[in-house]
């Protein structure tokens, strides 16, 4: 190792290169500087990632809002249940929606839920041919021409319906019967028009 | 700027500090790289790669002393030289069996000047030169050289012996030429 130490010392002392071994430190630095400047450390803090994600989300939202090629579907008016009967706005209620157990309730509910009910509004009850007429007095009009099956439509003024129910209730002497009983179908139901189906007469119209 | 401050500034990727550190070590490192590499261009490339790795991995380095810093930079340069040799010169060592043991004549080199030794070393074939550089100049042991070059210790020893024999032969020829000239 004597030789090694000797050569090491000599090499460490070597400050001048032999001819032909010249370097170009400036040129080397320029290249190195280019590399260093081109690949500077990118700080990857969580907030940077969050910012990137937010940017991507915003761009995505913008892109899909602007570049949506799907055809614009116009809001077509839904087929309204309301019809015009004799020039008056009406509501068509099928008899099976006025369910057997609680016709009275449905009838009053139908009245209640009419959002734009006016005093002149007409409720149209659509009944099948074998269904008993359950609301009287009614005006019978022919079935709509577009309906293939012949149907009879019963029309009654809503306010009249309500009054009619009240009138019938009084005439059948249900005073003292709890109001809930009126809404409950069965043998205790004393309101024949909206109660037990067995009491109904077949519709011969 | 003192070296510790300079290193801190370099770790913060301050280009001016990096330039200052480069100027401080460039010459010394180029001399080192040129000992390993065949041409000025490849030596410069190895030096640049070494500095680039040094600057980009500076955050892992803890300053202890100037000597330790220099040793670290040197180590990086040597590694870069070896990597470049493997890539460009297809560095391969003669196997242990082929290489023959040659008696050492270490005294011969002691009479030479630093520049003369440098010139001779750069004329050595790549395999001999690499082992000679690592052993005689960097001061690594055969075991370390074997690990570094992925060879056996025996191959490292025989390569070193052959390098010495080659050097002695070259020196003797030079001496003969000198005497003949007189």
């Amino acid at each position: 190792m004597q030789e090694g130490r000797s050569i090491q010392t000599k090499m460490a002392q070597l400050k001048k290169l032999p001819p032909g071994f010249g370097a170009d430190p400036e040129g080397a630095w320029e290249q190195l500087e280019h590399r260093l400047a081109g690949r500077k450390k990118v700080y990857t803090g969580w907030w940077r990632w969050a910012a990137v994600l937010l940017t991507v989300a915003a761009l995505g939202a913008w892109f899909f809002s602007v570049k949506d090629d799907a055809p614009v579907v116009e809001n077509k008016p839904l087929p309204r249940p309301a019809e015009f009967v004799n020039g008056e706005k009406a509501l068509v209620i099928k008899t099976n929606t006025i369910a057997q157990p609680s016709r009275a309730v449905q009838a009053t509910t139908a009245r209640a839920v009419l959002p734009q009910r006016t005093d002149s509004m007409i409720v149209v009850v659509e009944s099948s041919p074998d269904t008993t007429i359950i609301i009287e007095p009614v005006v019978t009009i022919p079935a709509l021409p577009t309906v293939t099956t012949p149907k009879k439509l019963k029309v009654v003024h809503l306010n009249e319906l309500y009054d009619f129910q009240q009138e019938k209730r009084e005439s059948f002497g249900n005073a003292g019967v709890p109001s809930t009983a009126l809404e409950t179908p069965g043998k205790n139901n004393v309101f024949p028009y909206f109660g037990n189906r067995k009491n109904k007469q077949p519709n011969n119209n | 700027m003192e070296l510790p401050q300079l290193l801190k500034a370099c770790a913060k990727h301050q280009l001016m500090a990096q330039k200052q550190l480069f100027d401080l070590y460039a010459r010394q490192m180029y001399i080192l790289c040129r000992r390993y590499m065949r041409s000025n261009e490849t030596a410069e490339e190895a030096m640049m790669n070494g500095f680039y790795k040094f600057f980009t991995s500076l955050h892992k380095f803890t300053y202890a002393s100037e000597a330790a810093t220099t040793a670290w930079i040197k180590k990086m340069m040597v590694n870069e030289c070896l990597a470049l040799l493997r890539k460009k010169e297809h560095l391969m060592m003669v196997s242990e069996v082929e290489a023959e043991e040659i008696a050492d004549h270490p005294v011969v080199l002691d009479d030479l000047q630093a520049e003369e030794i440098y010139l001779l070393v750069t004329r050595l074939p790549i395999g001999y030169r690499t082992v000679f550089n690592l052993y005689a100049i960097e001061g690594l042991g055969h075991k370390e050289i074997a690990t570094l070059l992925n060879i056996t210790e025996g191959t490292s020893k025989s390569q070193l012996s052959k390098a010495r024999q080659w050097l002695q032969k070259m020196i003797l020829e030079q001496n003969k030429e000198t005497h003949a000239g007189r």
Side-chain angles (χ1 to χ4, degrees), chain A residues 1 3-4 6-8 10-11 14-15 17 20-26 28-29 31 33 35 39-40, chain B residues 13 15 18-19 22 27 30 34 40 44 48-49 52 109-110 112 114 117-119 135-137 139 164:
Chain A
M1 292 299 282
E3 171 213 34
S6 168
I7 295 175
Q8 276 177 35
K10 282 182 180 176
M11 286 295 117
L14 182 68
K15 300 292 175 195
L17 279 167
F21 286 78
D24 178 19
E26 276 306 311
W29 168 249
Q31 288 187 43
E33 185 184 15
R35 278 179 75 180
R39 299 184 196 177
K40 288 228 168 174
Chain B
H13 305 278
L15 218 54
Q18 287 173 338
K19 168 82 169 111
F22 177 84
R27 188 166 195 82
Y30 178 79
R34 189 61 182 82
N40 294 346
E44 210 169 274
M48 279 202 307
N49 290 348
Y52 180 75
L109 287 172
D110 289 346
L112 298 174
I117 297 171
Y118 192 89
L119 268 174
Y135 183 86
I137 303 174
R164 280 176 177 155

Side-chain angles (χ1 to χ4, degrees), chain B residues 171-182:
Chain B
I171 292 163
L172 286 170
E173 278 178 11
Q174 274 187 357
N175 288 342
K176 275 181 192 173
E177 283 172 16
T178 313
H179 288 301
R182 285 175 189 172

